[in-house]
Amino acid sequence: MDADNDNDLKNRIKRKFIGEEIRRRKLQELKYFKQGEQEKVKAYARRFGKVFRIANRGVGMQDVLQIDYFVSGLKPELIEQVKYGNPGTLAQAIERAKLVERTKNEALQQELMSKINEKGIEDILKNYNNENKKETRTYQEMQKPINEQKIDDLT
Protein backbone atom coordinates (compact mmCIF):
# COMPACT_ATOMS: atom_id res chain seq x y z
CA MET A 1 0.00 0.00 0.00
CA ASP A 2 1.21 3.49 -0.64
CA ALA A 3 1.32 6.28 1.93
CA ASP A 4 -1.54 8.28 0.38
CA ASN A 5 -3.97 5.39 0.71
CA ASP A 6 -2.84 4.81 4.31
CA ASN A 7 -3.34 8.47 5.19
CA ASP A 8 -6.72 8.56 3.46
CA LEU A 9 -7.88 5.46 5.34
CA LYS A 10 -6.57 6.90 8.59
CA ASN A 11 -8.48 10.16 7.99
CA ARG A 12 -11.69 8.35 7.06
CA ILE A 13 -11.51 6.27 10.25
CA LYS A 14 -10.89 9.40 12.35
CA ARG A 15 -13.83 11.20 10.74
CA LYS A 16 -16.10 8.23 11.38
CA PHE A 17 -15.17 7.62 15.00
CA ILE A 18 -14.45 11.15 16.13
CA GLY A 19 -17.77 12.66 15.35
CA GLU A 20 -18.89 16.22 15.29
CA GLU A 21 -20.29 16.06 18.85
CA ILE A 22 -16.94 14.97 20.31
CA ARG A 23 -15.16 17.67 18.34
CA ARG A 24 -17.59 20.29 19.71
CA ARG A 25 -17.08 19.07 23.27
CA LYS A 26 -13.31 19.34 22.87
CA LEU A 27 -13.70 22.83 21.42
CA GLN A 28 -15.79 23.78 24.46
CA GLU A 29 -13.13 22.22 26.71
CA LEU A 30 -10.49 24.45 25.11
CA LYS A 31 -12.41 27.54 26.25
CA TYR A 32 -11.91 26.55 29.89
CA PHE A 33 -8.54 24.83 29.58
CA LYS A 34 -6.07 26.12 32.21
CA GLN A 35 -2.46 25.60 33.13
CA GLY A 36 -2.08 23.95 36.53
CA GLU A 37 -0.62 25.94 39.41
CA GLN A 38 2.61 23.89 39.52
CA GLU A 39 2.50 22.86 35.85
CA LYS A 40 5.26 23.88 33.46
CA VAL A 41 4.38 25.45 30.10
CA LYS A 42 5.78 22.40 28.29
CA ALA A 43 3.36 20.04 30.09
CA TYR A 44 0.44 22.44 29.62
CA ALA A 45 1.23 22.74 25.89
CA ARG A 46 1.31 18.94 25.57
CA ARG A 47 -2.10 18.59 27.28
CA PHE A 48 -3.48 21.48 25.23
CA GLY A 49 -2.22 19.88 22.01
CA LYS A 50 -4.04 16.61 22.67
CA VAL A 51 -7.39 18.36 23.13
CA PHE A 52 -6.71 20.86 20.34
CA ARG A 53 -6.00 18.15 17.75
CA ILE A 54 -9.47 16.69 18.27
CA ALA A 55 -11.21 20.08 18.45
CA ASN A 56 -9.48 21.26 15.27
CA ARG A 57 -9.93 18.06 13.24
CA GLY A 58 -11.47 18.85 9.87
CA VAL A 59 -12.02 22.52 10.71
CA GLY A 60 -8.71 24.34 10.30
CA MET A 61 -9.10 26.85 13.10
CA GLN A 62 -7.54 30.26 12.43
CA ASP A 63 -4.16 30.95 14.02
CA VAL A 64 -5.59 33.85 16.01
CA LEU A 65 -8.13 31.56 17.72
CA GLN A 66 -5.53 28.86 18.39
CA ILE A 67 -3.25 31.41 20.04
CA ASP A 68 -6.11 32.95 22.01
CA TYR A 69 -7.25 29.59 23.43
CA PHE A 70 -3.69 28.67 24.40
CA VAL A 71 -2.68 32.02 25.90
CA SER A 72 -5.92 32.52 27.84
CA GLY A 73 -5.25 29.23 29.66
CA LEU A 74 -1.76 30.19 30.81
CA LYS A 75 -1.00 31.25 34.36
CA PRO A 76 -1.94 34.93 34.81
CA GLU A 77 1.67 36.02 35.36
CA LEU A 78 2.63 34.71 31.89
CA ILE A 79 -0.25 35.97 29.76
CA GLU A 80 0.76 39.62 29.36
CA GLN A 81 4.34 38.91 28.33
CA VAL A 82 3.29 36.19 25.88
CA LYS A 83 0.79 38.55 24.25
CA TYR A 84 3.44 41.28 24.21
CA GLY A 85 5.56 39.03 21.98
CA ASN A 86 2.72 39.08 19.41
CA PRO A 87 3.07 35.44 18.30
CA GLY A 88 1.73 34.67 14.83
CA THR A 89 1.25 30.93 15.26
CA LEU A 90 0.44 28.51 18.06
CA ALA A 91 4.02 27.18 17.92
CA GLN A 92 5.37 30.72 18.39
CA ALA A 93 3.00 31.31 21.33
CA ILE A 94 4.20 28.08 22.99
CA GLU A 95 7.86 29.01 22.52
CA ARG A 96 7.22 32.54 23.81
CA ALA A 97 5.43 31.14 26.89
CA LYS A 98 8.37 28.80 27.60
CA LEU A 99 10.79 31.72 27.29
CA VAL A 100 8.72 33.95 29.60
CA GLU A 101 8.43 31.14 32.16
CA ARG A 102 12.17 30.47 32.06
CA THR A 103 12.97 34.20 32.39
CA LYS A 104 10.63 34.57 35.38
CA ASN A 105 12.16 31.51 37.05
CA GLU A 106 15.67 32.87 36.51
CA ALA A 107 14.63 36.24 37.96
CA LEU A 108 13.20 34.53 41.04
CA GLN A 109 16.40 32.53 41.47
CA GLN A 110 18.50 35.69 41.21
CA GLU A 111 16.29 37.47 43.74
CA LEU A 112 16.56 34.54 46.15
CA MET A 113 20.34 34.35 45.76
CA SER A 114 20.57 38.10 46.32
CA LYS A 115 18.55 37.82 49.53
CA ILE A 116 20.64 34.89 50.71
CA ASN A 117 23.84 36.83 50.10
CA GLU A 118 22.39 39.91 51.74
CA LYS A 119 20.79 38.40 54.85
CA GLY A 120 22.03 34.87 55.13
CA ILE A 121 19.91 31.76 54.90
CA GLU A 122 19.28 31.59 58.65
CA ASP A 123 17.55 34.99 58.78
CA ILE A 124 15.47 34.20 55.71
CA LEU A 125 14.30 30.89 57.15
CA LYS A 126 13.61 32.48 60.53
CA ASN A 127 11.48 35.21 58.92
CA TYR A 128 9.72 32.67 56.72
CA ASN A 129 8.91 30.44 59.66
CA ASN A 130 7.65 33.37 61.74
CA GLU A 131 5.42 34.59 58.89
CA ASN A 132 3.95 31.15 58.24
CA LYS A 133 3.61 29.91 61.79
CA LYS A 134 0.03 29.18 62.68
CA GLU A 135 -0.72 29.19 66.34
CA THR A 136 -3.16 26.34 66.53
CA ARG A 137 -4.56 25.05 69.77
CA THR A 138 -2.04 22.21 69.77
CA TYR A 139 0.82 24.64 69.22
CA GLN A 140 -0.40 26.81 72.10
CA GLU A 141 -0.65 23.79 74.40
CA MET A 142 2.92 22.81 73.48
CA GLN A 143 4.15 26.26 74.50
CA LYS A 144 2.80 26.01 78.04
CA PRO A 145 5.24 24.98 80.78
CA ILE A 146 4.91 21.40 81.94
CA ASN A 147 4.90 20.54 85.63
CA GLU A 148 5.51 17.20 87.34
CA GLN A 149 1.77 16.50 87.65
CA LYS A 150 1.30 16.75 83.85
CA ILE A 151 4.24 14.44 83.23
CA ASP A 152 2.75 11.90 85.62
CA ASP A 153 -0.62 12.22 83.86
CA LEU A 154 1.00 11.50 80.50
CA THR A 155 2.76 8.35 81.72
PDB file of all heavy atoms in Angstrom, residues 31-43:
ATOM      1  N   LYS A  31     -12.049  26.226  25.722  1.00  0.00           N
ATOM      2  CA  LYS A  31     -12.413  27.539  26.252  1.00  0.00           C
ATOM      3  C   LYS A  31     -12.088  27.653  27.734  1.00  0.00           C
ATOM      4  O   LYS A  31     -11.824  28.750  28.228  1.00  0.00           O
ATOM      5  CB  LYS A  31     -13.902  27.814  26.038  1.00  0.00           C
ATOM      6  CG  LYS A  31     -14.284  28.006  24.600  1.00  0.00           C
ATOM      7  CD  LYS A  31     -15.779  28.238  24.468  1.00  0.00           C
ATOM      8  CE  LYS A  31     -16.168  28.372  23.009  1.00  0.00           C
ATOM      9  NZ  LYS A  31     -17.620  28.522  22.848  1.00  0.00           N
ATOM     10  N   TYR A  32     -12.121  26.525  28.440  1.00  0.00           N
ATOM     11  CA  TYR A  32     -11.910  26.545  29.891  1.00  0.00           C
ATOM     12  C   TYR A  32     -10.615  25.845  30.299  1.00  0.00           C
ATOM     13  O   TYR A  32     -10.398  25.586  31.471  1.00  0.00           O
ATOM     14  CB  TYR A  32     -13.108  25.889  30.591  1.00  0.00           C
ATOM     15  CG  TYR A  32     -14.395  26.594  30.261  1.00  0.00           C
ATOM     16  CD1 TYR A  32     -15.272  26.068  29.319  1.00  0.00           C
ATOM     17  CD2 TYR A  32     -14.703  27.813  30.844  1.00  0.00           C
ATOM     18  CE1 TYR A  32     -16.447  26.731  28.997  1.00  0.00           C
ATOM     19  CE2 TYR A  32     -15.873  28.489  30.524  1.00  0.00           C
ATOM     20  CZ  TYR A  32     -16.734  27.935  29.602  1.00  0.00           C
ATOM     21  OH  TYR A  32     -17.886  28.600  29.275  1.00  0.00           O
ATOM     22  N   PHE A  33      -9.779  25.563  29.343  1.00  0.00           N
ATOM     23  CA  PHE A  33      -8.536  24.830  29.575  1.00  0.00           C
ATOM     24  C   PHE A  33      -7.532  25.731  30.285  1.00  0.00           C
ATOM     25  O   PHE A  33      -7.267  26.843  29.824  1.00  0.00           O
ATOM     26  CB  PHE A  33      -7.975  24.374  28.213  1.00  0.00           C
ATOM     27  CG  PHE A  33      -7.167  23.121  28.279  1.00  0.00           C
ATOM     28  CD1 PHE A  33      -7.775  21.896  28.392  1.00  0.00           C
ATOM     29  CD2 PHE A  33      -5.792  23.182  28.231  1.00  0.00           C
ATOM     30  CE1 PHE A  33      -7.032  20.737  28.448  1.00  0.00           C
ATOM     31  CE2 PHE A  33      -5.039  22.035  28.292  1.00  0.00           C
ATOM     32  CZ  PHE A  33      -5.658  20.799  28.398  1.00  0.00           C
ATOM     33  N   LYS A  34      -6.981  25.285  31.421  1.00  0.00           N
ATOM     34  CA  LYS A  34      -6.071  26.120  32.214  1.00  0.00           C
ATOM     35  C   LYS A  34      -4.802  25.364  32.563  1.00  0.00           C
ATOM     36  O   LYS A  34      -4.811  24.150  32.762  1.00  0.00           O
ATOM     37  CB  LYS A  34      -6.739  26.557  33.525  1.00  0.00           C
ATOM     38  CG  LYS A  34      -7.983  27.395  33.349  1.00  0.00           C
ATOM     39  CD  LYS A  34      -7.648  28.763  32.836  1.00  0.00           C
ATOM     40  CE  LYS A  34      -8.907  29.603  32.644  1.00  0.00           C
ATOM     41  NZ  LYS A  34      -8.692  30.737  31.812  1.00  0.00           N
ATOM     42  N   GLN A  35      -3.736  26.126  32.680  1.00  0.00           N
ATOM     43  CA  GLN A  35      -2.458  25.597  33.134  1.00  0.00           C
ATOM     44  C   GLN A  35      -2.539  25.386  34.640  1.00  0.00           C
ATOM     45  O   GLN A  35      -3.025  26.244  35.377  1.00  0.00           O
ATOM     46  CB  GLN A  35      -1.343  26.592  32.803  1.00  0.00           C
ATOM     47  CG  GLN A  35       0.037  26.134  33.210  1.00  0.00           C
ATOM     48  CD  GLN A  35       1.102  27.172  32.875  1.00  0.00           C
ATOM     49  OE1 GLN A  35       0.805  28.292  32.492  1.00  0.00           O
ATOM     50  NE2 GLN A  35       2.350  26.799  33.039  1.00  0.00           N
ATOM     51  N   GLY A  36      -2.072  24.244  35.107  1.00  0.00           N
ATOM     52  CA  GLY A  36      -2.077  23.951  36.532  1.00  0.00           C
ATOM     53  C   GLY A  36      -1.125  24.862  37.291  1.00  0.00           C
ATOM     54  O   GLY A  36      -0.163  25.393  36.731  1.00  0.00           O
ATOM     55  N   GLU A  37      -1.396  25.020  38.580  1.00  0.00           N
ATOM     56  CA  GLU A  37      -0.616  25.941  39.413  1.00  0.00           C
ATOM     57  C   GLU A  37       0.879  25.597  39.420  1.00  0.00           C
ATOM     58  O   GLU A  37       1.718  26.481  39.347  1.00  0.00           O
ATOM     59  CB  GLU A  37      -1.164  25.913  40.840  1.00  0.00           C
ATOM     60  CG  GLU A  37      -0.608  27.006  41.714  1.00  0.00           C
ATOM     61  CD  GLU A  37      -1.269  27.028  43.072  1.00  0.00           C
ATOM     62  OE1 GLU A  37      -2.504  26.912  43.132  1.00  0.00           O
ATOM     63  OE2 GLU A  37      -0.531  27.154  44.064  1.00  0.00           O
ATOM     64  N   GLN A  38       1.209  24.320  39.501  1.00  0.00           N
ATOM     65  CA  GLN A  38       2.608  23.895  39.520  1.00  0.00           C
ATOM     66  C   GLN A  38       3.062  23.341  38.167  1.00  0.00           C
ATOM     67  O   GLN A  38       4.170  22.826  38.047  1.00  0.00           O
ATOM     68  CB  GLN A  38       2.815  22.825  40.607  1.00  0.00           C
ATOM     69  CG  GLN A  38       2.499  23.289  42.004  1.00  0.00           C
ATOM     70  CD  GLN A  38       3.400  24.419  42.463  1.00  0.00           C
ATOM     71  OE1 GLN A  38       4.597  24.418  42.201  1.00  0.00           O
ATOM     72  NE2 GLN A  38       2.830  25.399  43.125  1.00  0.00           N
ATOM     73  N   GLU A  39       2.227  23.454  37.163  1.00  0.00           N
ATOM     74  CA  GLU A  39       2.504  22.865  35.851  1.00  0.00           C
ATOM     75  C   GLU A  39       3.411  23.764  35.013  1.00  0.00           C
ATOM     76  O   GLU A  39       3.208  24.973  34.941  1.00  0.00           O
ATOM     77  CB  GLU A  39       1.176  22.641  35.136  1.00  0.00           C
ATOM     78  CG  GLU A  39       1.285  21.885  33.831  1.00  0.00           C
ATOM     79  CD  GLU A  39      -0.076  21.619  33.206  1.00  0.00           C
ATOM     80  OE1 GLU A  39      -0.999  22.440  33.379  1.00  0.00           O
ATOM     81  OE2 GLU A  39      -0.217  20.580  32.554  1.00  0.00           O
ATOM     82  N   LYS A  40       4.377  23.166  34.378  1.00  0.00           N
ATOM     83  CA  LYS A  40       5.262  23.883  33.462  1.00  0.00           C
ATOM     84  C   LYS A  40       4.544  24.112  32.131  1.00  0.00           C
ATOM     85  O   LYS A  40       3.629  23.379  31.768  1.00  0.00           O
ATOM     86  CB  LYS A  40       6.545  23.076  33.202  1.00  0.00           C
ATOM     87  CG  LYS A  40       7.360  22.796  34.434  1.00  0.00           C
ATOM     88  CD  LYS A  40       8.166  23.985  34.794  1.00  0.00           C
ATOM     89  CE  LYS A  40       9.108  23.671  35.927  1.00  0.00           C
ATOM     90  NZ  LYS A  40       9.463  24.825  36.682  1.00  0.00           N
ATOM     91  N   VAL A  41       4.979  25.128  31.403  1.00  0.00           N
ATOM     92  CA  VAL A  41       4.380  25.450  30.102  1.00  0.00           C
ATOM     93  C   VAL A  41       4.475  24.252  29.162  1.00  0.00           C
ATOM     94  O   VAL A  41       3.518  23.945  28.441  1.00  0.00           O
ATOM     95  CB  VAL A  41       5.051  26.694  29.475  1.00  0.00           C
ATOM     96  CG1 VAL A  41       4.600  26.875  28.035  1.00  0.00           C
ATOM     97  CG2 VAL A  41       4.734  27.937  30.288  1.00  0.00           C
ATOM     98  N   LYS A  42       5.589  23.554  29.184  1.00  0.00           N
ATOM     99  CA  LYS A  42       5.784  22.404  28.288  1.00  0.00           C
ATOM    100  C   LYS A  42       4.696  21.346  28.510  1.00  0.00           C
ATOM    101  O   LYS A  42       4.123  20.834  27.551  1.00  0.00           O
ATOM    102  CB  LYS A  42       7.173  21.806  28.515  1.00  0.00           C
ATOM    103  CG  LYS A  42       7.518  20.677  27.584  1.00  0.00           C
ATOM    104  CD  LYS A  42       8.937  20.203  27.821  1.00  0.00           C
ATOM    105  CE  LYS A  42       9.302  19.086  26.884  1.00  0.00           C
ATOM    106  NZ  LYS A  42      10.685  18.641  27.099  1.00  0.00           N
ATOM    107  N   ALA A  43       4.393  21.039  29.769  1.00  0.00           N
ATOM    108  CA  ALA A  43       3.365  20.042  30.089  1.00  0.00           C
ATOM    109  C   ALA A  43       1.978  20.559  29.707  1.00  0.00           C
ATOM    110  O   ALA A  43       1.145  19.809  29.182  1.00  0.00           O
ATOM    111  CB  ALA A  43       3.419  19.684  31.567  1.00  0.00           C
TER     112      ALA A  43
END
